[in-house]
Amino acid sequence: MIQKIAYFWVPVTDMDRAVEFYHQLLGLKLLFKREDWSEFDIDGQRLALRKVDTLPEYEDSSVPGISFLAQPIEQVIATLKQKRVHFTEELKVYPYGKLAGFRDPDGNVLGLYEPPPRASLR
């Protein structure tokens, strides 16, 4: 039976550029890098980069995205902005948490998420 997500992958057109972004700018732990596939460890979960010649085309409303847990989110946003990560969606606060969005060099949708304090979930 299914137990958990083994890995998730995103398409990239330039492996060197993508590995630099995810490893150097986002600070993810690089497990290995190959020409066609690279993997990172995120607290026991694996994020893979898959080399493709062309990126898939999506309707704006159906683009898949990955949100990373970021606490405190304001500090993570400030650090990434210092590293010249461009945010496409500035910090927004909702009852279910704080969110901010950005994209990788290939345009893959990424985001940061900070859950609300436990007290506000009651």
Side-chain angles (χ1 to χ4, degrees):
M1 295 300 298
I2 295 173
Q3 298 174 359
K4 67 177 187 174
I5 295 172
Y7 66 88
F8 51 97
W9 63 270
V10 294
V12 299
T13 57
D14 183 325
M15 187 62 73
D16 291 333
R17 178 183 69 183
V19 167
E20 179 181 349
F21 179 84
Y22 285 88
H23 182 57
Q24 299 298 330
L25 297 182
L26 299 188
L28 303 184
K29 180 182 175 187
L30 180 64
L31 295 174
F32 66 87
K33 177 186 170 202
R34 293 191 329 223
E35 195 174 297
D36 61 336
W37 187 270
S38 298
E39 289 188 15
F40 300 88
D41 175 73
I42 307 171
D43 195 28
Q45 291 287 297
R46 287 189 178 216
L47 165 67
L49 305 177
R50 178 178 171 222
K51 172 77 169 74
V52 297
D53 292 328
T54 58
L55 295 169
E57 292 186 30
Y58 295 101
E59 298 284 330
D60 281 347
S61 62
S62 66
V63 176
I66 300 169
S67 289
F68 300 102
L69 184 64
Q71 296 177 302
I73 195 169
E74 293 86 356
Q75 184 178 359
V76 176
I77 291 169
T79 298
L80 292 178
K81 283 184 174 182
Q82 287 176 347
K83 294 180 177 184
R84 295 198 163 102
V85 172
H86 172 71
F87 279 78
T88 55
E89 294 181 38
E90 293 299 322
L91 180 65
K92 294 181 181 170
V93 180
Y94 299 98
Y96 51 85
K98 298 177 183 179
L99 301 167
F102 59 102
R103 293 182 182 251
D104 75 3
D106 282 292
N108 292 303
V109 175
L110 304 173
L112 301 176
Y113 171 70
E114 181 179 335
R118 287 185 157 266
S120 67
L121 291 177
R122 293 184 183 152

